[in-house]
């Protein structure tokens, strides 16, 4: 978290990814121009923003449309059916008033003049059939639409998860967790809302207005003209609403995102928050964000406060005009009563969907913003791509080479300049140096969490970029200070290193690294749930578990990046023997601050400013006068 805060957004165009992998992508992304530039300008990496230029908006829209298209493609048949059902059901609903008019103007006179009931029964029967059919079709439409929107959401949710999981460390180190959570929660929610209700309303509303307008024009062109005139103020009202709501709705989204991000950051960093008494500062800050959100929402409500009454006014005025004009025409004999009733009903109903359409506009805006952000994430390519022609390396010996490597996280600062290193198979190397020297960076390159900007990192002479990812992950394992435990039992967590491991293997691994005793002491031993009370283990114990995980994985190359940092001295002594078992018969790089850990190494590398300044056996270096000799003396003094 803290690192993410400090690290500036990575400029992918000049980043460590080497040749831009995005360009190998589909023509859809290629059409969108140089995507790396898009990625940085569109705020996928940096801050979340919504103030895009016209060209950017266009590109974003095209990008999310392409995504929507790919989501809808498998549902084509169902979408066509949906279209047919909605057209027929809306037409049925709109037919009602026309049938009433026909009944009053034609069937009723026949009853009164000729005592002929057939047309009257006919029209009533038709009315009932149409009404029932309309209801059934509407129900069908609702179910169909819900199924389609669920299918789309399911697909999208899965894609976002799988894709985010696949993205390289570089992405996760720059894209804050608050934002990634927003993608999976609030963004998907606003898309769900739009699909579930908004879109239904839009399609039904628009069709309803169109059919009502047509019915009105067919039934009585003069009244159609009156309605057409009313469209002028309606058009102005809607324009006014759109222009104003765009900024206001955007403000609500930006402010609500800020509230969420602040909340997530506070809670994920709760230890630091409490340790440094940041609560009151947070309270003020959070209070400000919540207040901004409230103000933004109030403005939206005020907007509706104007929009709604004006809309009702236009509707009522139109209705009055239709009735007055129609009334005069009835007096003149050019319009029948039934027709006027139908016309009045149409004129009144015409405005019904308008308010929903205005609401839809809000939903549409947040959903399309969400869609843009999600498609931005989906468009990200792993900066450490899988090889096109993977080289199998199932029996690596574990010799590692850095050939002419140069590495930079971003263009302005080279972290490893011209790096050369050969580690023969089976050697245990201790890597020491001051904070920020580049030790973790070296470790991350060795485990291929990043690729070098120049040169190559090789395992058994094969560039890591070319090795089959499965073989590479099997051969090289990195254990860091952050020993993460997943929900499940202790045994499950150890078995992560070797899926399908037997209980015997798990216990053997735990014994090898000195974790067996404390595991046995847990309430349910190896079956203790790590998330349950009593299953909570200390940081040092977590590290022992991650050692067991590494031991059972049995890699050829093992990298420990400050992985012993949380162990107290007695358990480090305990783990010392375990560590020696763990490191035997494999290439190992240990980054550690402890003298005892360094002592078991065959070779010590001292690193400063991204370069190796000393390289030799522990004894040789101690005997010398260099940096390691000084460090060693300081360590010894600290022990007595
Ligand atoms: N994800 C990152 N993005 C940009 N710079 C980074 C990143 N991680 C580390 N750095 C920078 O690289 C340099 C080396 O860091 P690191 O390898 O973590 O050092 P060490 O492990 O020796 O303390 C530091 O200057 C650090 O600021
Ligand atoms: Mg480090």
């Amino acid at each position: 978290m803290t690192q993410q805060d400090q690290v500036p957004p990575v400029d992918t165009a000049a980043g460590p990814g080497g040749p831009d992998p995005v360009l190998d992508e589909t023509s859809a992304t290629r059409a969108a121009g140089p995507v790396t530039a898009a990625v940085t300008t569109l705020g996928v990496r940096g801050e979340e923003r919504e103030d895009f230029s016209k060209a950017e908006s266009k590109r974003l829209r095209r990008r999310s449309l392409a995504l929507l298209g790919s989501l809808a493609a498998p549902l084509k048949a169902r979408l066509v059916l949906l279209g047919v059902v909605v057209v027929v059901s809306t037409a049925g609903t709109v037919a009602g008033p026309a049938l009433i008019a026909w009944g009053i103007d034609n069937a009723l006179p026949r009853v009164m003049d000729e005592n002929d009931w057939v047309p009257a029964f006919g029209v009533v029967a038709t009315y009932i059939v149409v009404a029932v059919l309309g209801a059934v079709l509407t129900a069908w439409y609702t179910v169909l639409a819900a199924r389609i929107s669920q299918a789309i959401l399911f697909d999208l949710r899965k894609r976002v998860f799988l894709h985010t999981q696949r993205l390289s460390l570089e992405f996760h180190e720059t894209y804050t967790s608050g934002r990634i959570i927003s993608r999976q929660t609030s963004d998907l929610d606003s898309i769900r809302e739009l699909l579930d209700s908004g879109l239904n309303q839009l399609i039904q509303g628009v069709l309803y207005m169109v059919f009502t307008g047509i019915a009105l024009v067919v039934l009585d062109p003069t009244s159609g003209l009156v309605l057409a005139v009313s469209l002028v103020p309606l058009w102005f009202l809607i324009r006014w609403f759109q222009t104003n709501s765009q900024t206001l709705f955007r403000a609500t989204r930006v402010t609500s995102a800020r509230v969420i991000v602040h909340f997530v950051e506070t809670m994920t960093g709760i230890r630091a928050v409490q340790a440094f008494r940041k609560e009151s500062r947070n309270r003020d800050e959070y209070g400000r964000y919540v207040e901004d959100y409230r103000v933004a929402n109030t403005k939206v409500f005020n907007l509706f406060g104007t929009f709604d009454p004006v809309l009702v006014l236009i509707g009522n005025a139109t209705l009055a005009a239709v009735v007055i004009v129609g009334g005069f025409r009835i007096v003149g004999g050019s319009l029948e009563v039934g027709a006027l009733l139908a016309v009045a009903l149409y004129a009144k109903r015409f405005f019904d969907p308008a308010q929903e359409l205005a609401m839809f506009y809000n939903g549409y805006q947040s959903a399309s913003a969400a869609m843009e952000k999600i498609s931005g994430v989906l468009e990200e390519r792993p900066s450490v791509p899988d090889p096109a022609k993977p080289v199998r390396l199932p029996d690596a010996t574990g010799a590692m080479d850095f050939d002419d490597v140069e590495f930079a996280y971003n263009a302005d600062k080279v972290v490893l300049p011209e790096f050369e290193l050969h580690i023969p198979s089976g050697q245990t190397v201790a890597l020491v140096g001051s904070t920020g020297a580049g030790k973790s960076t070296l470790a991350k390159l060795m485990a291929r969490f990043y690729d070098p900007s120049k040169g190559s990192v090789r395992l058994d002479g094969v560039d890591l970029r070319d090795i089959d990812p499965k073989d590479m992950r099997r051969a090289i394992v990195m254990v860091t200070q952050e020993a993460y435990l997943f929900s499940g039992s202790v045994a499950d967590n150890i078995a992560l290193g070797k899926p399908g491991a037997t209980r015997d293997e798990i216990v053997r691994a735990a014994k090898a690294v000195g974790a067996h005793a404390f595991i046995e002491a847990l309430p349910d031993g190896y079956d203790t749930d790590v998330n349950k009370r009593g299953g909570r283990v200390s940081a040092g114990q977590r590290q022992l578990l991650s050692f067991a995980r590494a031991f059972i994985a049995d890699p050829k190359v093992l990298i420990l990046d400050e992985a012993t940092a949380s162990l107290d001295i007695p358990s480090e002594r305990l783990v010392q023997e375990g560590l020696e078992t763990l490191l035997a018969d494999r290439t190992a790089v240990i980054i550690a601050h402890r003298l005892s850990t360094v002592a078991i190494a065959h070779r010590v590398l001292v690193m400063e400013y991204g370069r190796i300044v000393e390289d030799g056996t522990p004894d040789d270096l101690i005997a010398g006068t260099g940096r390691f000799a000084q460090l060693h003396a300081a360590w010894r003094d600290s022990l007595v």
Side-chain angles (χ1 to χ4, degrees):
M1 206 67 217
T2 47
Q3 189 168 52
Q4 287 161 355
D5 293 336
Q6 290 158 2
V7 171
V10 171
D11 179 0
T12 42
D20 179 14
V22 177
L23 296 180
D24 304 335
E25 278 310 305
T26 58
S27 55
T29 48
R30 199 178 302 144
V35 181
T36 41
V39 163
T40 39
T41 49
L42 299 181
V44 168
R45 284 303 173 74
E47 272 287 294
E48 208 108 286
R49 46 179 278 240
E50 285 197 14
D51 50 338
F52 302 123
S53 71
K54 272 232 164 75
E56 284 173 337
S57 304
K58 204 168 145 200
R59 197 163 49 207
L60 280 169
R61 213 167 317 127
R62 202 163 346 140
R63 185 164 86 182
S64 30
L65 274 180
L67 173 59
L68 204 59
S70 75
L71 289 165
L75 304 165
K76 220 179 268 164
R78 277 201 263 172
L79 283 167
V80 171
L81 178 64
L82 185 76
V84 173
V85 173
V86 71
V87 167
V88 175
S89 72
T90 314
T93 325
V94 172
L99 286 170
I100 294 175
W102 193 84
I104 293 175
D105 296 339
N106 298 307
L108 209 56
R110 290 273 282 278
V111 174
M112 296 198 294
D113 301 345
E114 305 158 35
N115 203 17
D116 177 6
W117 286 83
V118 177
F121 281 127
V123 77
V124 170
T126 314
Y127 189 90
I128 292 172
V129 168
V130 167
V132 170
L133 200 71
V136 170
L137 284 179
T138 306
W140 191 17
Y141 169 77
T142 310
V143 172
L144 263 182
R147 288 228 177 100
I148 290 177
S149 84
Q150 287 305 310
I152 289 179
L153 280 169
F154 175 74
D155 189 1
L156 193 57
R157 208 175 275 284
K158 230 173 35 182
R159 278 198 214 185
V160 171
F161 175 80
L162 293 178
H163 191 79
T164 323
Q165 178 178 254
R166 203 165 66 94
L167 286 174
S168 310
L169 203 60
E170 185 193 343
F171 173 85
H172 293 283
E173 282 181 349
T174 47
Y175 207 92
T176 57
S177 51
R179 291 168 69 201
I180 217 53
I181 291 171
S182 306
R183 295 299 87 85
Q184 261 298 353
T185 55
S186 57
D187 284 352
L188 276 170
D189 263 351
S190 52
I191 293 175
R192 180 185 56 76
E193 249 162 56
L194 182 78
L195 288 175
D196 276 359
S197 55
L199 210 55
N200 282 355
Q201 282 173 2
L202 175 78
I203 296 171
Q204 274 179 320
V206 167
L207 273 178
Y208 191 85
M209 286 177 103
V210 169
F211 284 177
T212 307
I214 291 174
L216 192 64
V217 170
V218 169
L219 206 66
D220 179 30
T222 317
S223 302
L225 200 67
V226 176
L227 185 75
V229 171
S230 79
L231 289 181
V232 177
L234 184 66
W235 188 81
F236 278 111
L237 178 69
I238 288 176
R239 286 292 309 172
W240 170 84
F241 179 80
Q242 283 194 342
T243 328
N244 286 286
S245 66
Q246 200 152 8
T247 11
L248 294 185
F249 284 142
R250 180 178 295 155
T252 63
R253 287 199 303 278
V254 171
T255 48
S256 93
R258 233 178 260 149
V259 169
I260 295 175
V261 167
H262 187 77
F263 186 85
V264 170
E265 284 204 345
T266 304
M267 298 314 154
T268 41
I270 192 72
R271 285 177 192 81
V273 167
Q274 297 189 347
F276 293 98
R277 296 263 168 271
K278 198 171 174 288
E279 291 99 333
S280 59
R281 258 175 298 159
N282 275 346
R283 191 187 51 216
D284 298 344
E285 214 174 319
Y286 194 67
R288 255 198 319 281
Y289 291 149
V290 172
E291 173 62 13
D292 288 349
Y293 185 40
R294 189 190 66 79
V295 169
N297 274 323
T298 311
K299 286 188 183 155
V300 168
F301 286 125
N302 288 344
L303 191 70
F304 274 103
T306 312
F307 178 78
D308 285 348
V310 175
L311 182 66
V312 171
L313 188 67
I314 295 176
N316 286 340
T318 309
L319 179 61
V322 164
V323 172
I324 290 168
V325 172
F328 279 118
R329 285 161 60 224
I330 289 184
V331 173
S334 61
L335 189 69
E336 309 215 38
V337 178
L340 178 63
L341 180 63
V343 163
L345 281 174
Y346 280 134
K348 172 128 187 50
R349 287 182 176 188
F350 180 81
F351 292 91
D352 284 353
Q355 161 149 33
E356 277 160 22
L357 294 190
M359 288 300 283
F360 168 82
Y361 192 64
N362 175 21
Y364 166 76
Q365 279 190 349
S366 38
S368 66
M371 201 71 176
E372 281 161 9
K373 288 183 205 141
I374 288 178
S375 59
V377 172
L378 290 179
E379 199 179 61
E380 284 278 312
R381 295 297 137 211
S383 54
V384 180
D386 288 347
K389 288 198 204 78
V391 177
R392 293 300 315 263
L393 201 62
D395 302 309
T397 65
M400 297 284 316
D401 281 286
F402 282 71
D403 278 344
D404 213 4
V405 165
E406 189 183 298
F407 179 75
Y409 287 101
N410 44 51
D412 18 289
K413 193 177 144 209
V414 175
V415 177
L416 296 184
E418 302 171 25
F419 201 86
E420 287 289 337
L421 178 65
H422 172 71
I423 304 176
S425 138
Q427 191 173 61
T428 299
V429 177
L431 188 60
V432 297
S434 42
T435 303
K439 305 180 298 294
S440 296
T441 305
L442 184 76
K444 283 190 263 185
L445 285 173
M446 263 180 102
R448 206 187 171 218
F449 284 115
Y450 285 86
D451 281 334
S453 326
K454 245 193 247 152
S456 60
V457 181
R458 298 167 187 279
L459 169 66
D460 282 21
V462 186
D463 194 325
L464 293 186
R465 280 178 285 227
D466 297 330
I467 302 177
D468 188 307
K470 267 204 236 70
D471 292 336
M472 212 231 24
R473 289 281 163 236
R474 249 206 67 59
I476 306 174
V477 164
M478 174 154 115
V479 179
T480 63
Q481 192 171 3
E482 176 214 30
Y484 195 85
L485 293 185
F486 296 92
S487 2
S489 68
V490 170
D492 294 341
N493 268 289
I494 296 176
L496 199 73
K498 185 183 179 188
T502 65
R503 179 55 62 96
D504 272 356
E505 288 174 300
I506 292 171
V507 174
R508 209 177 318 132
K511 279 185 176 153
V513 300
H516 181 70
F518 95 80
I519 297 174
E520 287 281 78
L522 291 171
D524 296 318
Y526 282 83
D527 296 313
T528 308
D529 189 324
V530 294
N531 282 333
K532 290 261 168 65
R533 245 172 148 40
R536 300 245 176 245
V537 294
S538 73
Q541 290 167 332
R542 265 210 307 275
Q543 289 195 333
L544 289 183
L545 289 181
S546 70
F547 283 171
R549 195 186 270 170
F551 185 88
I552 207 168
D554 192 21
K556 274 295 156 198
V557 180
L558 181 64
I559 305 156
L560 303 181
D561 186 358
E562 310 205 354
T564 54
S566 297
L567 298 177
D568 47 29
I569 300 296
S571 49
E572 192 177 11
R573 291 249 166 80
L574 195 88
V575 86
Q576 204 67 36
E577 298 146 36
L579 207 55
E580 276 170 67
T581 334
L582 185 63
L583 303 183
D585 302 325
R586 60 183 112 242
T587 312
V589 174
I590 335 169
I591 302 170
H593 292 306
R594 296 248 172 84
L595 188 56
S596 50
T597 321
V598 176
I600 59 174
H602 304 133
R603 176 183 177 191
V604 175
L605 297 173
V606 182
M607 201 170 172
E608 289 309 330
Y609 301 108
R611 289 171 207 274
I612 288 175
V613 293
E614 281 171 49
D615 179 352
T617 63
D619 293 341
D620 286 352
L621 292 185
I622 291 166
T625 53
R627 182 101 178 77
F628 186 70
Q630 292 166 18
L631 269 176
H632 189 263
W635 275 329
R636 289 189 74 131
D637 291 347
S638 72
L639 286 182
V640 289

